[in-house]
Amino acid sequence: MSQQSTQTPPKRTIIPIHIAPQAPCCAPSSPTDHGDDHGHTDSCGGPATQAAQLVSPASQEAPPDAAQVRYRIEQMDCPTEERLIRNKLEPMPGIVRLDFNLIGRELTVYHRLNDLHPVEEALIAIGMGPHLIEAGQRQTALPPALPMRARLWLAVSGVAAVAAEATAWITGNEHHPLGAVLAVVAILTSGLPTLKRGWIALRHFTLNIYFLMTLAVGGALIIGRWSEAAMVVFLFALAEAIEALSLERARHAIQSLSALAPDTAQVWLGSNWVSQPVEQVRIGARIRVRAGERVPLDARVTQGQAALNEAPITGESLPVDKQEGDTLYAGTIVTNGVLEALVTAAASDSTLARVARAIQEAQSQRAPMQRFVDQFARYYTPIVVLLALATAVLGPLLTTQGWLHWVYQALVMLVIACPCALVVSTPVTVVSGLAAAARRGILVKGGAHLEGGRLLKAIALDKTGTLTHGKPALTLVRSLGTLSDTEALRLAASLDHHSAHPVAQAVVQAWQARAAGQPPLSDVTAFHSMHGLGVRGDIDQQTWHLGNHRLLEDLGLCSPALEAQLAEIEQTGQTALILINRAGPQALLAVSDTLRPESADAVRQLQELGIHPVMLSGDNALAARHMAQQAGIDDARGNLLPDDKLKAIEDLIREHGHVGMVGDGVNDGPALARAHIGLAMGAAGTATALEAADVAIMDDDPRKIATFVRLSHRTSAVLKQNIALALGIKLVFFALALTGHATLWMAVFADMGASLIVVFNGLRLLRFKD
């Protein structure tokens, strides 16, 4: 086993964004700027660069100057083992912090040690044999929670325990030799792991369920309750087995994400397609994916057309058509067609791998309810143990019943003393909620955010790219002369075909959508781009202009009637274009960003949840208000620079309390960081958004914001139900024990039965339906 790792954990920090007083480099371009050279480029970079600003404070920063090492500990799947490990490792010099992923049975140790021998030896001493996980190592599957051999021994133990109880009941003698032999068989076949762990806990002065169960069973044997001791051991082992199977289900829900990508890829090498392990495929390699196969790595299509099921990444069940230039995500499924693509990310850095890694890391971040439960349990167990001791000592002195009766009741209380049901209820519930969100294309970065979504009273939504498509589209063609609308659009597209400006491309794409059965675009000669005005070119030896309102004025062709039509368009935030020839204006076109079809429904759902929606936009106030009206938002604020958005969030916090911010671009960075929960839209394929956002919506569907809030409400409700169930059952059996009516096997039902109830209740979140 390698003894140390020098891998330094990545620091999660807020990326500072310095905004000059002038318009930022990525500010929305003027809606009337259909001119220049039409070769506008975003000086702040593409989506990945913009995603770098989708940052909010991390819930728990990695320790500075500390190395990290990860261990797989197969014996660790319960908060009981976590407490034992903490008690052993945290006092050691050089240990900075411990992070636990109980569902995945992983321990991350942040340390400043040159030699990790003492850490590994300490883990072995408490029965937690560690297996080092090397950096970048592909995870191996955990062994089955209940292998066949364990099931057989459990069955033997059950038969022996029931037979021992039957013998005691039939003979009326707890000390009958046959019953004692059967009890020993039951204890040896299912109780040895419990007794061994109890001995380890005793040696390390740790009050846990194994220590308490060992005391209870040992005490029952000493006072002659052989058959009852056997039944207690069997019931405890049975309950642990069922709990392990339940936790395995939650673990598989998370691990199934990592298993979606295939292990091999078809790679073009020389002159043949060769199957290669995905870990060996380099960035830039050419791969092929056929119908029915999963995409092995993130890639960009170079040849072919196909429909893909992207549900594993985005949660969207409808197939998405892909063609040359489109992005492919590892784990998605080709439903028809064949694609060739160039690999854009290594297997360990694919979108799917980052999602799985983010969820694994999220499991170690405790939700507020989980921190409360842990603190409660820390005081609860010692208090109940002292109460049990007082019962054994004071019971015989204060009542007429003998010490044997009260020692037995004290043993019952020891079994009830373990808060296992209480402590295990929160991580299972949170992990089930995280998995349920991931299945719907919502990546929640920790239990604190999952639980905090229900507290949101207002949500600020960026307009461009969040509520809208984020790119202009043609909304109007109106002939002003003898041309038909179709012919006017064809001529405008012919001119704009030579431009790369987003507004020009909107005109061209609108024509392409209607071009079937129509004449082709005309050849344009003497093409010229006029800075800030539009474009000019000759078609069939006639000069045509296509430009904005200023161009019309410069040419001296404005009229009151045309001015009124332009004002009507511009007041709704649209960009007006006029097609002009030597005879004057021939057609009026309008281009604007368009509302996503899901946006109005998303806003309505937020309002139904009692959340106040606010639109924040860098566009002019008229355009913002017009788009907000279409979406059903009453509170719309325009002309906002990044600092203005930040101030708007602070104002909303003062007015409403808990506030969320939804955005997708550079201008949203400060506001996302200030909000209580920052939600990044369209995060699939953007590494920094996945790492930095509190909640990442993998696709562009704004309705998933309300889904997240509803899941948060549901998770919080299940957490409260579990705490009420665990404490309520404990209180009932405390009362029974204090009045002398409880038995040891009833106490086991109280403890482990409650654990099973809360585990199954938490797993219900896996079936969450919106």
Side-chain angles (χ1 to χ4, degrees), residues 613-698:
V614 181
M615 177 188 284
L616 304 182
S617 176
D619 283 354
N620 67 72
L622 278 175
R625 277 199 295 272
H626 177 72
M627 200 63 71
Q629 287 173 357
Q630 294 183 52
I633 297 176
D634 296 326
D635 188 351
R637 309 176 189 187
N639 293 318
L640 301 180
L641 294 174
D643 285 345
D644 299 324
K645 290 187 178 182
L646 175 61
K647 184 177 182 302
I649 292 294
E650 291 173 341
D651 292 341
L652 288 171
I653 289 173
R654 282 191 292 270
E655 183 179 354
H656 296 280
H658 280 72
V659 172
M661 172 67 193
V662 187
D664 72 330
V666 62
N667 294 335
D668 307 321
L672 284 163
R674 179 66 183 91
H676 291 94
I677 295 181
L679 298 96
M681 292 294 296
T686 55
T688 313
L690 287 175
E691 293 167 2
D694 298 326
V695 179
I697 309 295
M698 302 304 291

Side-chain angles (χ1 to χ4, degrees), residues 660-733:
M661 172 67 193
V662 187
D664 72 330
V666 62
N667 294 335
D668 307 321
L672 284 163
R674 179 66 183 91
H676 291 94
I677 295 181
L679 298 96
M681 292 294 296
T686 55
T688 313
L690 287 175
E691 293 167 2
D694 298 326
V695 179
I697 309 295
M698 302 304 291
D699 60 5
D700 296 315
D701 190 345
R703 292 174 297 184
K704 290 185 178 178
I705 303 167
T707 299
F708 160 69
V709 175
R710 277 191 287 270
L711 180 58
S712 175
H713 278 283
R714 185 64 182 149
T715 302
S716 178
V718 171
L719 283 171
K720 291 174 182 176
Q721 291 167 11
N722 282 346
I723 291 173
L725 283 167
L727 290 179
I729 292 172
K730 294 283 187 184
L731 287 174
V732 168
F733 280 87

Side-chain angles (χ1 to χ4, degrees), residues 184-263:
V184 170
V185 171
I187 292 170
L188 291 178
T189 50
S190 67
L192 289 182
T194 299
L195 299 177
K196 178 184 176 183
R197 291 180 176 185
W199 172 243
I200 291 173
L202 177 63
R203 287 193 297 114
H204 293 88
F205 307 103
T206 301
L207 282 175
N208 62 27
I209 185 60
Y210 303 111
F211 171 72
L212 298 173
M213 284 298 299
T214 301
L215 280 184
V217 171
L221 294 174
I222 290 172
I223 64 176
R225 303 269 188 154
W226 288 77
S227 61
E228 197 157 1
M231 185 58 73
V232 165
V233 166
F234 165 68
L235 289 175
F236 182 77
L238 177 63
E240 280 218 310
I242 298 173
E243 186 178 304
L245 290 172
S246 302
L247 293 173
E248 185 177 56
R249 182 181 171 193
R251 179 164 57 248
H252 286 166
I254 294 295
Q255 291 178 339
S256 62
L257 288 171
S258 303
L260 289 174
D263 295 329

Side-chain angles (χ1 to χ4, degrees), residues 48-277:
T49 310
Q50 293 180 0
Q53 313 303 331
L54 301 182
V55 181
S56 57
S59 61
Q60 191 177 27
E61 291 187 1
D65 306 322
Q68 78 173 42
V69 61
R70 288 167 57 221
Y71 291 109
R72 166 75 61 79
I73 301 179
E74 294 181 1
Q75 301 85 355
M76 179 189 75
D77 61 0
C78 174
T80 300
E81 287 91 11
E82 176 183 338
R83 177 51 50 194
L84 185 63
I85 293 172
R86 284 192 184 278
N87 291 347
K88 188 67 176 178
L89 295 187
E90 283 184 338
M92 292 177 61
I95 299 297
V96 179
R97 194 180 84 203
L98 304 175
D99 281 353
F100 291 84
N101 174 2
L102 297 179
I103 300 295
R105 299 184 185 180
E106 289 183 11
L107 166 67
T108 302
V109 180
Y110 294 92
H111 65 91
R112 298 191 182 98
L113 300 171
N114 295 322
D115 185 6
L116 290 172
H117 268 299
V119 173
E120 293 167 2
E121 289 172 356
L123 290 170
I124 292 170
I126 57 176
M128 299 288 141
H131 300 281
L132 183 69
I133 301 174
E134 299 283 359
Q137 175 182 337
R138 195 180 184 91
Q139 289 285 3
T140 57
L142 284 168
L146 197 64
M148 184 55 66
R149 183 180 178 184
R151 298 183 189 211
L152 290 174
W153 283 123
L154 188 61
V156 171
S157 176
V159 171
V162 171
E165 280 280 15
T167 301
W169 182 75
I170 292 170
T171 63
N173 180 11
E174 280 278 350
H175 307 285
H176 193 281
L178 178 59
V181 171
L182 290 169
V184 170
V185 171
I187 292 170
L188 291 178
T189 50
S190 67
L192 289 182
T194 299
L195 299 177
K196 178 184 176 183
R197 291 180 176 185
W199 172 243
I200 291 173
L202 177 63
R203 287 193 297 114
H204 293 88
F205 307 103
T206 301
L207 282 175
N208 62 27
I209 185 60
Y210 303 111
F211 171 72
L212 298 173
M213 284 298 299
T214 301
L215 280 184
V217 171
L221 294 174
I222 290 172
I223 64 176
R225 303 269 188 154
W226 288 77
S227 61
E228 197 157 1
M231 185 58 73
V232 165
V233 166
F234 165 68
L235 289 175
F236 182 77
L238 177 63
E240 280 218 310
I242 298 173
E243 186 178 304
L245 290 172
S246 302
L247 293 173
E248 185 177 56
R249 182 181 171 193
R251 179 164 57 248
H252 286 166
I254 294 295
Q255 291 178 339
S256 62
L257 288 171
S258 303
L260 289 174
D263 295 329
T264 60
Q266 289 290 315
V267 184
W268 180 259
L269 294 178
S271 59
N272 294 304
W273 291 104
V274 178
S275 180
Q276 268 193 343

